[in-house]
Amino acid sequence: MGSSTLIDALTGALPPGAVLTDPDLRRSHQRDEAGLCPAGLPAAVVRPTTTEQVATTITLAGQYGVPVVPQGARTGLAGGANAGDGALVLSLTNMDQILEIDPLNRLAVVQPGVVNAALAQALAPHRLRFPPDPGSWESSTIGGNVATNAGGMCCVKYGVTSEYVLGLEVVLAGGEVLRTGRRTPKGVAGYDLTRLFVGSEGTLGVITEITLGLKPAPAESLTLVAVFDTTAAAGAAVAALTAAGTTPSLLELVDQTHLAAIEAYQPMGLRTDAAALLLVAVDTGASAAADLAIVEQLCQQAGAAEVYAATDATEAQALLAARRLAYHSIEHAAAKAFPGGNGGVIVDDIAVPRTALAEVLDGIARIAAARQTMVGVIAHAGDGNLHPNIVVDRADPDSVARGQAVFDEIMELALSVGGTSTGEHGVGLLKRQWLAQELGPVGGRVHQAIKHALDPDNLLNPGKVVPPPG
Amino acid sequence: MGSSTLIDALTGALPPGAVLTDPDLRRSHQRDEAGLCPAGLPAAVVRPTTTEQVATTITLAGQYGVPVVPQGARTGLAGGANAGDGALVLSLTNMDQILEIDPLNRLAVVQPGVVNAALAQALAPHRLRFPPDPGSWESSTIGGNVATNAGGMCCVKYGVTSEYVLGLEVVLAGGEVLRTGRRTPKGVAGYDLTRLFVGSEGTLGVITEITLGLKPAPAESLTLVAVFDTTAAAGAAVAALTAAGTTPSLLELVDQTHLAAIEAYQPMGLRTDAAALLLVAVDTGASAAADLAIVEQLCQQAGAAEVYAATDATEAQALLAARRLAYHSIEHAAAKAFPGGNGGVIVDDIAVPRTALAEVLDGIARIAAARQTMVGVIAHAGDGNLHPNIVVDRADPDSVARGQAVFDEIMELALSVGGTSTGEHGVGLLKRQWLAQELGPVGGRVHQAIKHALDPDNLLNPGKVVPPPG
């Protein structure tokens, strides 16, 4: 029993080129993009192209007692795709076929390795879309979206991945192939196994086919930017937009630290003295202009220092560019602050009640100041989903320790206001202890019971998500 | 060990009046509104008012090995609430408090016994609503909605119950109290236990508190009726509305049998020679009139014999009245066809791909004719969700057998076109065998494994939903 014998067995059972043991390649498949998470060196990387090959891989791995770690594009931010030493990485990137697009029934059937951008391109001629739009959408896979229940900027109006998954094909820990869900818009036949697997981060089974429900592509959006001198005013604007029943298709917040970082990275004339900027889009077709006027009025009433509406799609795209630069700009700020390639960013992800937005922004600023650590926040404000980006000097253990302390204190703050430890990035390794705290002992035991029911030998992505016993 | 000793223990542990053994009351709590389903006489009906009392009841029932059958308003249509002989009925109707309405975070926290209509009334002043609108909404409970993942007419635009459940409190089979989910709009912390319990029909735990995400109340709707001489033309209209990316808030179909039954029950001037009537509403605010004009045009292009748009809300309500009368009218037709109180209606519920609508309507008509049985169909056409209502003479075993055969043949038809055995009513007892067929052996085993993980002694609503082993 061991990985080398397993590799022989896999090489014999799978097509040429599917089992890879090159050390460089194994090293490049150790981890996703999460900070603070350990990762080991996998024994091999298996790249199947069919469900049958996935089943063979899992069956053989089970026989040899070698853990299986599923991976997509490794753009995850919680360490859910990190390998353990000697594990088998099951990379699904070669299962990248769009199997079906059915415009009249508004559905698509895809393999897990299909890249978000490729699906968007294939759906565009049909005037359809799969709304979830994680920041990584140009490279991340639909399988990754499903495994993490990914979100993005669209969620304030269109919801997260699980709203769009009608059914799945899943290879279980024993190698059996399960089909869940349906191809119909509605259906309640049995337990909602589809949504049990969505967001389970590869711990319950390996997803090999996904049936997606689609939405009509919206009409062109109208967009505005509102600048606020206080976080309280920005929070009041978000609350007012919610209370008024507006349905923005995007409601993003950029904090002062991020505004300064963006302006330093690529000068755009942003008001770097502002406490926060809100970016709001509406895509309500014929009534969009009227709806945007209401948004403008509500932002002004909430105390915006300045409101600027884009007059056409080109200008709207320019406004979005600032938001899209946010992550690169904070990486740039980290690199400048800690030269020699040591500047790093810990990307965090919490969700809080919308009404707690200003309180949490102020709390994060206080935590950052007390720990002498730079923290910029971008937020899917309409969903109360914040991404505090914590800048550390990876060469300085004290800086990393302070970053970790900031991370923990932000997590405590989120839970203390009735929030959750992850809004859209998932648990993986990064949040496993925090999930245990959030769930409590009964919730932890139910997670363990379900994991045990489906994967009794703890073969699939062990050590992720599920709180450890006790 | 037995129910009488259990009843003594419960009576001692629960407040006066919570444990009821009156024979008439027990008889009145034997079953829900499903046809074709067996039901036994429960040993007692327990009516708790707190989560703690539910936990006490379940713990004691477990100690005495007596099954627990949760019930709400017993308006279910699949026998999911039917008691077994000697079982303990756990009626949640006295847990009817709306615990919280938070307009700024658009959520409500309710006990399971809150009636849909009572919640709608409480939310109205806040201009908020919980969209699911099952036909029974004036009497059915939110707990029942959650247990069955109920739908209704709104689903074509607003989705089913599970889209609106943020979190749950659940008493597990061992008497432990589990909290799932969150109070934030977004969150992916751990397995989606919330949606595992939604639609599980009381087989995995007893839901004692529900946190609901709410929607802004829509602007007033505009409505039209389109009459078609062929089901093919009606189906083509539904396909055209979907393909054009319209977002009706209601897209209902009434078939010829139902049109005749409605007109016989309450003359409204309906075209009883038509093959089908479509009822379409839009609630898109400022663009509603323009959107309804597009709907009208698409119906005409698909071959509508007549299209009539309501000019105001009062007239729109009048158009909806016909649809609302559908079920009562077929009951009336059954009573007229089989005098002496023997006329009965078996309410069925299938969902098929939208594009199969006309094919399935024609198939049902053929099945009905071949079995000399009256079957009227109303459909949430925009979701491909059909309710064939099968009229039988309950005093005539041959008529009931033919009704059962019609039911089975409709189910086979639905599955053969890629549909599902239940679109919104659930599995209960009525569809348990059909669920087994739809899931296949692997899906059946996964259901059994999850049931066993959460309820190892098969205490909670035994014999429902989960396919039997083998």
Side-chain angles (χ1 to χ4, degrees), chain A residues 104-106 162-163 176 184 186 188 191 195 203-204 242 352 354-355 383 385 422 424 445 447 466, chain B residues 104-106 162-163 176 186 188 191 195 203-204 242 352 354-355 383 385 422 424 445 447 466:
Chain A
L104 285 181
N105 289 304
R106 280 189 199 158
S162 64
E163 312 300 327
E176 290 183 311
T184 55
K186 256 165 120 176
V188 294
Y191 298 154
R195 277 154 164 177
T203 63
L204 299 177
T242 306
V352 300
R354 285 185 200 96
T355 48
D383 284 322
N385 185 191
T422 171
E424 59 179 11
R445 283 198 290 276
H447 273 69
V466 183
Chain B
L104 285 182
N105 289 304
R106 281 190 198 157
S162 64
E163 312 300 327
E176 289 184 312
K186 255 164 120 176
V188 293
Y191 298 154
R195 279 156 163 173
T203 62
L204 299 178
T242 306
V352 299
R354 285 184 199 97
T355 46
D383 284 321
N385 184 192
T422 171
E424 59 178 11
R445 282 197 292 277
H447 274 70
V466 183

Side-chain angles (χ1 to χ4, degrees), chain B residues 134-150:
Chain B
S136 58
W137 76 283
E138 290 185 356
S139 59
S140 61
T141 64
I142 304 294
N145 282 28
V146 172
T148 59
N149 198 5

Side-chain angles (χ1 to χ4, degrees), chain B residues 185-207:
Chain B
K186 255 164 120 176
V188 293
Y191 298 154
D192 193 347
L193 297 182
T194 303
R195 279 156 163 173
L196 180 61
F197 285 100
V198 173
S200 66
E201 304 186 32
T203 62
L204 299 178
V206 175
I207 292 161

Side-chain angles (χ1 to χ4, degrees), chain A residues 66-153:
Chain A
V66 174
V68 174
V69 179
Q71 287 184 350
R74 298 191 313 283
T75 53
L77 290 162
N82 284 16
D85 265 327
L88 202 65
V89 160
L90 185 56
S91 170
L92 299 156
T93 49
N94 283 358
M95 292 183 70
D96 60 354
Q97 302 301 302
I98 297 173
L99 302 172
E100 182 185 352
I101 295 175
D102 178 344
L104 285 181
N105 289 304
R106 280 189 199 158
L107 61 81
V109 182
V110 304
Q111 288 189 312
V114 171
V115 169
N116 277 285
L119 180 62
Q121 199 174 9
L123 294 176
H126 302 286
R127 303 263 318 128
L128 290 171
R129 70 169 181 153
F130 166 61
D133 56 351
S136 59
W137 75 284
E138 290 185 357
S139 58
S140 61
T141 64
I142 304 293
N145 282 29
V146 172
T148 59
N149 198 4
M153 294 199 266

Side-chain angles (χ1 to χ4, degrees), chain A residues 361-434:
Chain A
L361 284 168
D362 294 346
I364 292 170
R366 270 196 306 276
I367 291 167
R371 296 282 180 186
Q372 297 168 15
T373 297
M374 178 192 262
V375 181
V377 182
I378 46 178
H380 308 308
D383 284 322
N385 185 191
L386 296 88
H387 296 308
N389 291 317
I390 305 165
V391 175
V392 296
D393 178 0
R394 284 181 294 210
D396 174 5
D398 181 61
S399 170
V400 173
R402 280 183 285 124
Q404 173 78 62
V406 166
F407 178 89
D408 290 344
E409 285 163 20
I410 289 174
M411 212 60 48
E412 271 164 22
L413 173 63
L415 296 182
S416 75
V417 299
T420 176
S421 56
T422 171
E424 59 179 11
H425 291 172
V427 175
L429 290 169
L430 184 67
K431 302 279 176 79
R432 194 174 175 218
Q433 290 300 333
W434 288 105

